[in-house]
Amino acid sequence: SYLGHGLMAGRAKVIAHGCDGACTKCFPAGWTGSYEYGGAVQKINGGDGGSFDSCKEQGLASLKPGADCGAADTRVCSFAGGWRGVAPRGRRVYASSYFWDRAEDGGIVAEPGAAAWPTTPHAFAEAATSACTPRATAAELRDAFMRVDESTLPYLCADLTLCHALLTHGFGLADDAQVTLVKQVEYGGQRIEAAWPLGAALNDLA
């Protein structure tokens, strides 16, 4: 993940770009709470609830896709001033860490115990649409997403929407692009957990 755009930091940015004591775009109807990150506490009020489209608008505002990254060719810029480069056609795309976690929560990964799962950005949009059902309360979401931890449930709409926004507007993937979600990788006959520290280590060794 990009520095400052992990799941916890991403949530904080989404909330900050739509919150003035009434964050209604990404949270269950009637839900109130607070979110603490980096020493700052943000109050949240779900109000009448939100929708996928309104939450996506809020998420994109926090990502700032296409912001200047200092390159002459702006096509290589991803989001928030980060450099993406131009990926060769046909190159495989893998996503891990919180992309996997939220895919499990959203029902995208359908096989318990799977180490990898093929999907598309559109699958995240569909899951987010369900999690962002207008006027849905936290109790109604609990019935729809019974596997989701209680502390995660209020943020499920925001998290899934952010995943979709990152894949499409951040990394420039088409909605129907093939993405392989990875929980673990095979190495030496064993399964190793796939997360950003592993990617950082491989990058240093490459």
Side-chain angles (χ1 to χ4, degrees), residues 38-167:
V41 179
Q42 297 167 296
K43 293 183 179 180
I44 305 169
N45 186 332
D48 292 331
S51 68
F52 169 62
D53 288 336
S54 60
C55 186
K56 182 179 178 180
E57 180 182 345
Q58 188 170 324
L60 290 177
S62 72
L63 284 180
K64 300 177 182 177
D68 183 20
C69 65
D73 185 352
T74 58
R75 292 177 300 175
V76 303
C77 299
S78 56
F79 59 93
W83 182 84
R84 177 181 65 221
V86 179
R89 290 185 178 181
R91 186 171 185 175
R92 295 179 180 178
V93 178
Y94 295 87
S96 62
S97 191
Y98 62 84
F99 283 97
W100 176 275
D101 295 336
R102 289 305 164 264
E104 275 196 317
D105 290 339
I108 297 171
V109 178
E111 183 180 315
W117 196 262
T119 190
T120 63
H122 183 66
F124 279 95
E126 288 186 321
T129 298
S130 296
C132 303
T133 301
R135 300 187 181 280
T137 64
E140 290 169 333
L141 288 178
R142 164 58 58 200
D143 291 338
F145 298 95
M146 299 183 67
R147 294 168 54 187
V148 181
D149 183 82
E150 195 73 34
S151 62
T152 298
L153 188 63
Y155 300 96
L156 190 59
C157 168
D159 292 351
L160 287 168
T161 302
L162 182 61
C163 286
H164 178 262
L166 279 168
L167 291 171

